[in-house]
Amino acid sequence: MTSKEIEQGVREALGHLYDPDYEPPAAVYGLLGRTLEGGLLAVQSLLVQTIDSLEPPEGTPASALARRMYDLLHRRFGLGMTLEEAAYEMPLSAPRAGRGPPAA
């Protein structure tokens, strides 16, 4: 898989994180190190665990990019907020939150 295909697969899986009828493509299972027998619940669990593992160390300033990106991912996918709800709590505009980190 190319990096573009990986990104697209992960974005798709995150977009359907709480959709009980979603069936990720086999490539997403392979990317996450899961088998098809693990099912959607295994993929969902691993994605949320991976987001949780990105939490910056205690004391990281709220203004730090790592903290802002983690907070957005946690609110959006860990807590199941919409992009608008997560952006409102941070505060970010929804379009800004949807673009991700600024280019270096």
Side-chain angles (χ1 to χ4, degrees):
M1 289 182 83
T2 67
S3 61
K4 181 90 170 153
E5 292 169 328
I6 291 169
E7 179 183 345
Q8 186 176 12
V10 170
R11 282 182 183 268
E12 179 182 319
L14 285 170
H16 294 280
L17 191 61
Y18 297 107
D19 178 356
D21 297 323
Y22 175 66
E23 185 59 42
V28 170
Y29 284 103
L31 175 67
L32 298 173
R34 295 290 189 251
T35 64
L36 293 173
E37 293 80 36
L40 179 60
L41 189 56
V43 171
Q44 291 169 330
S45 178
L46 184 61
L47 287 170
V48 171
Q49 288 172 12
T50 301
I51 290 168
D52 288 344
S53 75
L54 299 174
E55 184 173 13
E58 190 173 319
T60 300
S63 61
L65 179 60
R67 169 59 65 191
R68 292 191 330 258
M69 290 296 104
Y70 168 77
D71 287 346
L72 179 61
L73 289 169
H74 174 71
R75 284 178 169 88
R76 178 73 178 95
F77 301 109
L79 300 178
M81 293 180 174
T82 66
L83 183 60
E84 290 78 14
E85 291 167 337
Y88 177 78
E89 284 202 2
M90 293 196 51
L92 291 171
S93 68
R96 173 66 194 110
R99 284 195 300 269

